Amino acid sequence: ELGKTVFDLFQKQDAAKLKPYLLAKSEVEKAFGSSEQFRSLTKKKKKIFVSSTYERNKEIGESWIDFYTGKDKETSALLKAGKYESTEAAERKDNGTTVARIVVRFNENGKLHIINLNAAKVKDYWKLLSWIEVK
């Protein structure tokens, strides 16, 4: 569901609605809190981890969103004209954190393209991690 929603928003070139799908600061601990690495940190280091993880994810993720919603004219046009085909996701545990690689397939002018997304599970829903790639 997240992959299809992200594709639809890229098609509409709606960066403002895409950015809230990135992991929020309040969600970092919920997503990574069950990992052994996180649990082994001191309270102070946990705060630093949450803050730095959020800032890095926001900066990189928003850069990709801006890139694909106008800064890169060619890819933005490709996404806008594309026709959704399918979404595939592979869920796994990464040091105790549930993450997924999401692949969205779409067709533009007879050519198959993909959007690669990484996501983390936050309780019972998914949020995007910073890596967003259109091929």
Side-chain angles (χ1 to χ4, degrees):
E1 191 174 308
L2 178 61
K4 175 72 167 95
T5 299
V6 168
F7 174 78
D8 290 344
L9 292 171
F10 270 126
Q11 238 192 352
K12 294 174 186 171
Q13 297 291 284
D14 197 337
K17 287 188 180 171
L18 271 163
K19 290 177 182 178
Y21 284 95
L22 290 167
L23 191 66
K25 189 171 186 176
S26 62
E27 296 167 321
V28 172
E29 187 169 350
K30 293 174 189 168
F32 293 93
S34 62
S35 78
E36 287 181 36
Q37 285 178 311
F38 185 83
R39 289 195 318 255
S40 70
L41 297 174
T42 65
K43 195 172 190 172
K44 183 178 178 179
K45 287 186 179 182
K46 284 179 183 177
K47 269 182 96 166
I48 292 168
F49 174 85
V50 167
S51 185
S52 66
T53 299
Y54 165 72
E55 290 300 328
R56 187 176 62 250
N57 193 63
K58 181 181 186 313
E59 179 184 353
I60 296 168
E62 286 186 359
S63 293
W64 283 117
I65 289 169
D66 290 341
F67 186 74
Y68 294 132
T69 57
K71 283 189 178 178
D72 181 62
K73 302 294 183 207
E74 186 178 325
T75 309
S76 297
L78 175 82
L79 285 161
K80 198 171 184 179
K83 302 290 183 237
Y84 174 82
E85 290 207 358
S86 65
T87 301
E88 191 176 292
E91 184 179 321
R92 72 182 197 290
K93 288 281 189 189
D94 186 5
N95 292 322
T97 301
T98 304
V99 295
R101 166 72 90 160
I102 302 168
V103 178
V104 180
R105 289 178 181 75
F106 66 99
N107 191 306
E108 190 275 331
N109 207 19
K111 291 185 178 178
L112 187 62
H113 300 276
I114 60 171
I115 303 173
N116 286 317
L117 305 166
N118 288 330
K121 192 165 190 176
V122 181
K123 300 269 181 202
D124 58 349
Y125 59 95
W126 293 88
K127 291 296 278 279
L128 292 176
L129 296 172
S130 60
W131 185 251
I132 301 167
E133 176 186 39
V134 177
K135 288 180 160 184

